[in-house]
Structures are given as structure tokens and as C-alpha cells.
Amino acid sequence: MARFTLQHQDAHAYRRKSRIISLVMAGQFAVLGMLFAMLLTAAFGSSLALNALGMVLGLLATSAMFAVLKDRPWMNEVRYAWQLKHHLGQVSGYLVTLRPAVEQDDTTALDILTFYHQGMEQLAELNGRTTDDDAERLAEKMQVRLKREALDLPEAVASFNPDDLRRYRRA
């Protein structure tokens, strides 16, 4: 799997684009769902099943449209946030086995946990939230920082390789 590199993103632009895209997709789903439901009921008669099928077809059409548009340049910020969330979710499944590895000065585990904490901070910033509310995570972040200093490792990491997780057991 390819490395994921942390990039600076404009939080305001991300939130604005994310809201607009969500509203457009919700509107498209509503319109297409109603359109398919109307076409089906006009062709086959009125029934709850045909209305539900129309909504499912609207959802499928909206999903297909979204799949086509997700690689467009104007989706960069949103696509980056999705990828970041995906990788953070991957790492969170391994936290139980990464933490003991950090205690044993495993530099790969330190890099992964450093990425995790940096990513969580960036995701909170993108979503307009603060990360000061989780004392356990802040303590772990400080522990990782101190371990990195003791091992003369840089304070931050620039990227994450999902293949590094193979060394650890998933919780």
C-alpha cells in the first residue's frame, strides 16, 4: 500500500467545501430518489415497494455520480480528509498492540503513534474542534514525545506506511 503523507490543509476551505458537497449530494439524492419513485409508480402503479425502490435507485445514482467526481481537483481537501480518517481508523485498530511496543522503544511503533496523534490533531483542526478534552490521549502523546526525544528521533513524522502495521497484531 502507498505511503500517506500529512499535508497542510486550509481548515476553512475544507469545511466550506465539505458543507457544499454534502448539501449538493443530499439534494441530488432527494431529487433523483423522487424522480425514480415517480417514474416507477407512473409505469407500474403506486406502491410503497416501488417508492422504496426509487429511493434506492436514487441512492445508487448519487453514489455513482460521487464515485466519478471524487477524483476531481476541487475535491482534493475532502478526499485528503477521507484518506486521513481511513488511516487513523486503521491505526486505532492496532493501538492495543502498539502501546506496549512503544514501551519497548520500538521506533516503528513510535512513528505510527506519532502519525496517529498528528493526524488526530489535524482532523480536529479541519473539523473546527479542539483536542484538549482527552486527557488520556494527551498523556500518551506526551509519553511518545518524551520517548522520541530519548531515542533522538525527530519530534514529528511526515508520512505513514500502512504496511508497517503488519508487524503488529490487530486488537
Side-chain angles (χ1 to χ4, degrees), residues 102-120:
V102 166
E103 293 295 326
Q104 298 170 357
D105 295 338
D106 183 333
T107 57
T108 303
L110 280 165
D111 287 346
I112 293 170
L113 274 181
T114 302
F115 164 80
Y116 178 74
H117 290 294
Q118 287 175 209
M120 291 296 282

Side-chain angles (χ1 to χ4, degrees), residues 122-143:
Q122 186 178 39
L123 192 59
E125 179 186 325
L126 287 173
N127 289 321
R129 297 188 178 102
T130 62
T131 59
D132 298 343
D133 58 351
D134 190 355
E136 187 176 317
R137 193 172 75 241
L138 289 173
E140 181 180 75
K141 181 180 169 187
M142 181 58 73
Q143 175 195 11

Side-chain angles (χ1 to χ4, degrees), residues 57-133:
L57 290 173
L59 180 62
L60 291 173
T62 301
S63 297
M65 179 69 74
F66 195 65
V68 169
L69 295 176
K70 73 177 175 57
D71 293 326
R72 302 284 186 208
W74 48 270
M75 291 281 288
N76 285 343
E77 292 91 350
V78 175
R79 186 175 49 253
Y80 174 81
W82 288 335
Q83 291 169 347
L84 178 60
K85 288 177 189 178
H86 170 75
H87 290 300
L88 292 174
Q90 275 184 306
V91 172
S92 70
Y94 290 87
L95 287 175
V96 172
T97 54
L98 285 170
R99 288 175 178 138
V102 166
E103 293 295 326
Q104 298 170 357
D105 295 338
D106 183 333
T107 57
T108 303
L110 280 165
D111 287 346
I112 293 170
L113 274 181
T114 302
F115 164 80
Y116 178 74
H117 290 294
Q118 287 175 209
M120 291 296 282
E121 278 185 22
Q122 186 178 39
L123 192 59
E125 179 186 325
L126 287 173
N127 289 321
R129 297 188 178 102
T130 62
T131 59
D132 298 343
D133 58 351

Side-chain angles (χ1 to χ4, degrees), residues 5 8-9 29 31 39 48 51 53 67 76 96 113 116 121 127 154 159 164:
T5 303
H8 172 73
Q9 298 290 325
F29 165 63
V31 169
L39 290 172
L48 182 60
N51 283 324
L53 178 61
N76 285 343
V96 172
L113 274 181
Y116 178 74
E121 278 185 22
N127 289 321
S159 63
D164 289 343

